[in-house]
Amino acid sequence: MTKKILILGANGQIAKLVVNMLANTDTQLKLTSLHAKPAQHIAKLDAANEADLVTALKNIDIVYANVGAEGRQKNVANALVNAMHTAGVSRLIWIATIGIYNELPPQQADLWRNILGTPENENSYIGDQAAAAQRITASQLDYTIIRPNELTDDNKMQQLNVQTDPNEEIIGGPITRTSVAEFVTQLINNPDQYIAESVAISSTH
């Protein structure tokens, strides 16, 4: 049976890789982006607009949200949770980042705090991400939050450390966008995995 997938942030690097990986699978994709251009096969959609999301969610089975680092995560999460409840769509795959639970090793945590802020400050990058994740985990959705380690552009698949305890200190190293995309693709193809979990993924070095 064909699965219908709504992708939010389809212009993102990881999302583009996922679209390619799903090309020969039994999925039907609805691609949307805030920054869609007329020449693309991508619909323009502001993922913080709840009413527009409800419309986009018609006949959708799975939402894959890759909405980027624009300081809008909390607003998008709030609108999306409400819209999915309204539309009766339950399965959500949400890309966040490690660090939203203060789970980074001390040296990395100090570096990231200086650049990206803290989970307690919702006006910082990490804080916005943390608030978004909190909204999703408090919902009735069948969510999976994916928290990749620092991202690299190497075009290779890696062996992954997968950690499902948000309070466990992160082990492993930077992860390629290709590896993240592969993880997302496998989850879309096997949507009964990692339900109601926040999953950190890192390379095994």
Side-chain angles (χ1 to χ4, degrees), residues 148-168:
N149 206 329
E150 183 180 349
L151 295 167
T152 71
D153 287 323
D154 297 337
N155 184 23
K156 65 180 182 181
M157 304 284 191
Q158 297 163 302
Q159 293 289 322
L160 300 185
N161 285 312
V162 180
Q163 297 173 256
T164 57
D165 180 356
N167 298 310
E168 183 182 7

Side-chain angles (χ1 to χ4, degrees), residues 84-100:
M84 288 181 70
H85 284 150
T86 298
V89 179
S90 62
R91 190 66 177 103
L92 172 62
I93 299 168
W94 177 273
I95 303 294
T97 182
I98 58 166
I100 60 174

Side-chain angles (χ1 to χ4, degrees), residues 40-179:
Q40 297 173 314
H41 299 294
I42 299 176
K44 188 172 180 64
L45 176 68
D46 181 354
N49 186 312
E50 188 176 326
D52 288 351
L53 282 170
V54 171
T55 300
L57 284 162
K58 187 176 181 182
N59 298 321
I60 292 296
D61 300 307
I62 300 171
V63 177
Y64 159 43
N66 199 133
V67 292
E70 300 176 17
R72 306 172 74 243
Q73 294 261 325
K74 180 178 68 172
N75 292 338
V76 170
N78 190 58
L80 182 57
V81 167
N82 291 341
M84 288 181 70
H85 284 150
T86 298
V89 179
S90 62
R91 190 66 177 103
L92 172 62
I93 299 168
W94 177 273
I95 303 294
T97 182
I98 58 166
I100 60 174
Y101 304 112
N102 284 313
E103 76 279 29
L104 289 166
Q107 188 173 355
Q108 189 178 0
D110 289 343
L111 178 64
W112 281 40
R113 279 191 201 103
N114 288 337
I115 301 170
L116 303 175
T118 63
E120 296 75 28
N121 178 8
E122 290 188 10
N123 294 319
S124 71
Y125 173 77
I126 289 285
D128 185 39
Q129 294 255 357
Q134 190 172 22
R135 176 69 178 101
I136 291 164
T137 55
S139 74
Q140 301 300 309
L141 300 177
D142 294 328
Y143 65 84
T144 304
I145 295 171
I146 299 173
R147 296 175 285 125
N149 206 329
E150 183 180 349
L151 295 167
T152 71
D153 287 323
D154 297 337
N155 184 23
K156 65 180 182 181
M157 304 284 191
Q158 297 163 302
Q159 293 289 322
L160 300 185
N161 285 312
V162 180
Q163 297 173 256
T164 57
D165 180 356
N167 298 310
E168 183 182 7
E169 185 173 297
I170 296 299
I171 56 174
I175 186 169
T176 65
R177 287 179 170 84
T178 301
S179 297

